[in-house]
Amino acid sequence: KGSGRNVVHFFNPHLKQKASFELQLEEDLRQALQQDNCLMLFYQPIIDLRSGALSKLEALVRWHHPLHGLLTPERFIAIAEANGFIDQLDDWVLRRACHDLNSLEHMGYPGLKIAVNCSALNLANDQLPGRIEQHLQATRCPAQCLELEVTESALLSNINRAIGLLERIRALGVCLSIDDFGTGYSSLAYLRRLPLDTLKIDRSFIQDLANSNQDREIVHAIIAMAHALHLKVVAEGVETGEQLAFLQDRGCDQVQGYLFSKPLPLEEIVSRFPPHIRP
Ligand code: C2E
Ligand code: CA
Ligand code: CA
Ligand code: CA
């Protein structure tokens, strides 16, 4: 009895089942990456508020699992992070995004940007700038059409190292944005040290704008601060016309959310946002 909980856990059939389920999923994910067959990129439009035009697409990875269907990143990013192959996953995403950038240019969307999410762990990966450069060269995409989204938490663990890496990426001409802004810590102290172009206000501040005076004040203050630092502001998770009107009134630059479109395969984005409606 004194031998403790570990022993009990070991014989718990549910836990054992769960462990083998996760193991199988990890194995499946490695295979999907290797065979390059079940992972897909969905894209969500980011709309410029001044012109009303499509300005960027955020690439959001999906996994079409043969048994479990379409899985969202919450289900599998952590697996890749915990098992040391998130760099491979993010690299797959980057390569595909550059490939799609190239297609978009040929379809008549010159200058449309693609924003790609970068895992926190990858900001400690010295090879990241080189890989980005390779993908850009291979697809002959202009660097300024690619944007990297990093979260505050990604920066916290080793801020000086992360800044060094981001500066190398910025030197390639790639744009940088800080993602989920407001959900991390100590953001203000280093915000001006980072070579950023864009700040994305986290969805949690947008969702209750209609009811929360406090959230309205926070969003207003974030926009003012970002502009003072010469950053463009994107509000994410915009679902209602009321939220949109508030953001427009406060000078927010760009918006993203279900009000405009959920993330969709590239073909569907192209048919819903045809090139001729761009200025
Ligand atoms: P994120 O970067 O904050 O991405 C935005 C998430 O909010 C997406 O979820 C998107 O579908 C969802 N969303 C967008 N508009 C709305 C809205 O109006 N209402 C609501 N309720 N939700 C909205 P998704 O695609 O499930 O991605 C979840 C997270 O997974 C992302 O959060 C990002 O952190 C991560 N992720 C996605 N793709 C990648 C990737 O390629 N690499 C890495 N490392 N992480 C990724
Ligand atoms: Ca993002
Ligand atoms: Ca976000
Ligand atoms: Ca988020």
Side-chain angles (χ1 to χ4, degrees):
K1 197 177 180 185
S3 58
R5 292 158 64 195
N6 289 341
V7 176
V8 176
H9 275 183
F10 186 76
F11 291 110
N12 182 326
H14 292 292
L15 281 187
K16 211 172 156 191
Q17 205 176 21
K18 178 159 185 268
S20 71
F21 179 79
E22 290 297 319
L23 270 177
Q24 185 62 52
L25 215 54
E26 179 198 336
E27 187 52 44
D28 294 347
L29 184 56
R30 284 185 196 273
Q31 228 175 66
L33 265 168
Q34 232 153 50
Q35 299 172 353
D36 194 8
N37 55 1
C38 297
L39 293 167
M40 299 181 271
L41 284 187
F42 275 27
Y43 287 99
Q44 190 176 33
I46 298 175
I47 309 290
D48 192 90
L49 281 182
R50 214 146 296 136
S51 64
L54 182 62
S55 167
K56 270 182 232 174
L57 297 172
E58 180 175 359
L60 294 156
V61 67
R62 299 289 183 264
W63 180 15
H64 194 84
H65 190 282
L67 243 68
H68 311 302
L70 196 68
L71 302 180
T72 58
E74 265 96 12
R75 195 66 198 81
F76 60 90
I77 293 283
I79 296 178
E81 285 183 339
N83 295 287
F85 59 102
I86 187 65
D87 56 327
Q88 267 169 269
L89 180 63
D90 279 352
D91 196 59
W92 182 90
V93 171
L94 268 169
R95 179 156 43 86
R96 177 56 56 89
C98 286
H99 174 270
D100 287 344
L101 257 180
N102 188 277
S103 313
L104 282 166
E105 206 176 342
H106 286 109
M107 282 188 272
Y109 296 89
L112 182 63
K113 290 185 182 185
I114 289 182
V116 168
N117 291 283
C118 180
S119 166
L121 296 177
N122 243 338
L123 280 188
N125 181 353
D126 225 34
Q127 295 175 350
L128 185 62
R131 286 192 182 165
I132 294 175
E133 191 174 19
Q134 269 174 16
H135 293 314
L136 287 170
Q137 273 168 2
T139 50
R140 298 214 200 94
C141 290
Q144 62 273 16
C145 287
L146 186 65
E147 184 162 295
L148 214 61
E149 298 193 0
V150 301
T151 58
E152 290 172 86
S153 60
L155 301 167
L156 278 180
S157 54
N158 189 338
I159 181 76
N160 290 322
R161 181 174 186 164
I163 289 176
L165 207 73
L166 290 176
E167 275 168 351
R168 283 166 61 198
I169 293 168
R170 190 70 189 75
L172 298 171
V174 172
C175 300
L176 296 174
S177 67
I178 188 142
D179 199 6
D180 299 348
F181 185 79
T183 59
Y185 304 96
S186 72
S187 34
L188 301 177
Y190 58 75
L191 204 52
R192 64 200 157 96
R193 289 179 60 200
L194 297 172
L196 294 171
D197 303 278
T198 303
L199 179 154
K200 298 187 78 173
I201 305 178
D202 191 67
R203 173 158 59 90
S204 56
F205 296 102
I206 307 300
Q207 63 194 8
D208 294 323
L209 277 183
N211 307 311
S212 165
N213 189 43
Q214 203 172 25
D215 284 357
R216 284 195 293 274
E217 294 292 345
I218 291 173
V219 168
H220 180 87
I222 293 177
I223 293 172
M225 180 205 61
H227 283 164
L229 294 168
H230 307 291
L231 302 176
K232 290 245 181 284
V233 183
V234 178
E236 50 177 39
V238 177
E239 295 182 353
T240 69
E242 206 175 353
Q243 292 163 347
L244 176 65
F246 175 83
L247 292 162
Q248 212 149 16
D249 182 56
R250 299 304 156 102
C252 182
D253 303 287
Q254 295 174 342
V255 283
Q256 171 181 10
Y258 295 167
L259 181 61
F260 303 93
S261 171
K262 59 184 185 176
L264 295 169
L266 191 63
E267 312 84 70
E268 282 179 59
I269 294 287
V270 166
S271 73
R272 291 187 54 170
F273 297 84
H276 64 260
I277 65 165
R278 301 190 73 240

